[in-house]
């Protein structure tokens, strides 16, 4: 089977995704990380790809997005992409990852379960938060490296064409991804140390990108700019800025500027409303002019925030605001919009 290569597309958003096999999706809380990560996984899976979507916060965000029961710690095909691809989902949590790890390296699943009962897993991951992160990034990066035919087959095709991680928010992303330094004081030798190093080599590789979800609002955009700087200072690669919940532009810039200062021609508006046969065109036009002004002010702010994001120099990719609730078909629609913008090259 041929491996799928994404991009490059010569500039544009394709550059932010080209050749990447691990896509880490972060952003301010509540901006749409889970939604965007799921849409990105669907976009990358279009036309026959196999993509794994990993969530690492133990919050069952993907299950609630898909309206399904809580997901077990198991890779499970949950979505079909357009053209025949599939998205598997893994809801990873540190405890399950630790038990799996103990079983893999020491063959002690039962002992692991006893440890859980004793609260030892909680204890270990609480005193060493770095261990929690190593286990979660280790799980995602193992899926990136995995080949068909099991752990020992090195030459076969990859099990997944791409892995998308619904990652912690911007406030924690740097620490979360910088597992090696987190682990430095904890385990200098031994299997955990090796595990951390292997995870770090995937995260640092040129086939990994960190994408930032934002809204066209001050705070999330500021977190995006700070997050990109932090990620790059760590020597990791930033990818695209995913601008979420974009509303259509109804007025051009001159109209926006006029509307914002209340200079829209409301006589013409009243005439138009009258011509359309509406009662009280003058009263209606005053009320509408107020709404238009509010829209214009908000939109001008969005334009300014967008300009500040463009200055960062990463490609902007847009996801429209979906009206009427998020469901699978809305997600497929968002994935289509991502592919129109060259995400898959
Ligand atoms: N493009 C969109 N159009 C409409 N609604 C959206 C869009 N993207 C996200 N939402 C909605 O916004 C809410 C937050 O989205 P989501 O859960 O993906 O954010 P998040 O960043 O993962 O949040 P958290 O930080 O809590 O994990 C959800 O109700 C989701 O349906
Ligand atoms: Mg989420």
């Amino acid at each position: 089977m041929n491996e799928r290569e994404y991009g490059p597309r010569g500039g544009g958003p394709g550059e932010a995704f080209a050749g990447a096999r691990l896509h880490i999706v972060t952003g301010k809380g509540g901006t749409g990380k889970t939604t965007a990560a799921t849409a990105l996984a669907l976009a990358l899976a279009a036309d026959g790809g196999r993509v794994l979507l990993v969530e690492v916060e133990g919050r069952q965000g993907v299950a609630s997005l898909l309206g399904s029961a809580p997901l077990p710690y198991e890779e499970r095909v949950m979505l079909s992409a357009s053209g025949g691809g599939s998205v598997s989902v893994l809801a990873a949590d540190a405890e399950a990852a630790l038990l799996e790890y103990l079983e893999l390296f020491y063959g002690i699943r039962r002992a692991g379960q006893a440890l859980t009962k004793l609260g030892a897993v909680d204890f270990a991951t609480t005193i060493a938060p770095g261990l929690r992160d190593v286990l979660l990034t280790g799980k995602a990066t193992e899926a990136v490296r995995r080949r068909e035919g099991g752990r020992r087959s090195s030459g076969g095709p990859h099990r997944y064409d791409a892995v998308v991680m619904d990652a912690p928010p911007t406030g924690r992303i740097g620490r979360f991804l910088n597992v090696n330094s987190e682990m430095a004081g904890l385990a200098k030798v031994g299997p955990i140390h090796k595990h951390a190093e292997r995870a770090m080599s995937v995260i640092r590789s040129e086939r990994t990108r960190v994408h930032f979800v934002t809204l066209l609002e001050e705070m999330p955009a500021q977190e995006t700019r700070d997050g990109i700087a932090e990620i790059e200072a760590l020597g990791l690669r930033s990818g695209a800025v995913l601008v979420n919940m974009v509303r259509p532009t109804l007025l051009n810039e001159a109209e926006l500027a006029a509307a914002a200062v209340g200079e829209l021609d409301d006589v013409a508006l009243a005439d138009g409303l009258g011509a359309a046969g509406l009662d009280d065109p003058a009263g209606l036009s005053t009320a509408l002019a107020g709404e238009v002004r509010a829209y214009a002010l908000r939109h001008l702010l969005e334009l300014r925030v967008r300009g500040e994001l463009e200055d960062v120099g990463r490609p902007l990719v847009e996801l429209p605001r979906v009206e009427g609730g998020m469901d699978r078909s809305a997600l497929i629609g968002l994935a289509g919009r991502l592919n129109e913008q060259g995400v898959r090259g």
Side-chain angles (χ1 to χ4, degrees), residues 294-326:
Y295 167 85
L297 287 171
R298 195 182 65 216
H299 211 79
L300 285 171
L301 173 72
E302 291 181 358
L303 283 175
R304 183 164 61 70
V305 172
R306 180 190 293 268
E308 288 165 2
L309 287 169
E310 279 167 353
D311 290 343
V312 177
R314 301 308 306 151
L316 303 192
V317 174
E318 289 190 3
L319 287 168
R321 173 188 289 273
V322 171
E323 306 295 344
M326 193 61 66

Side-chain angles (χ1 to χ4, degrees), residues 234-281:
L234 289 172
L236 310 181
R237 286 165 181 76
S238 56
V241 174
L242 301 164
V243 182
N244 193 21
M245 305 200 208
V246 174
R247 280 175 278 235
T249 305
L250 305 172
L251 301 173
N252 66 33
E253 273 198 55
E255 290 166 335
L256 283 171
V261 294
E263 280 175 3
L264 259 200
D265 186 348
D266 46 348
V267 176
L269 189 57
D271 286 351
L273 293 169
L278 293 170
D279 292 338
D280 186 19

Side-chain angles (χ1 to χ4, degrees), residues 282-294:
L284 262 184
S285 111
T286 308
L288 269 178
E291 296 222 359
V292 172
R293 178 154 192 265

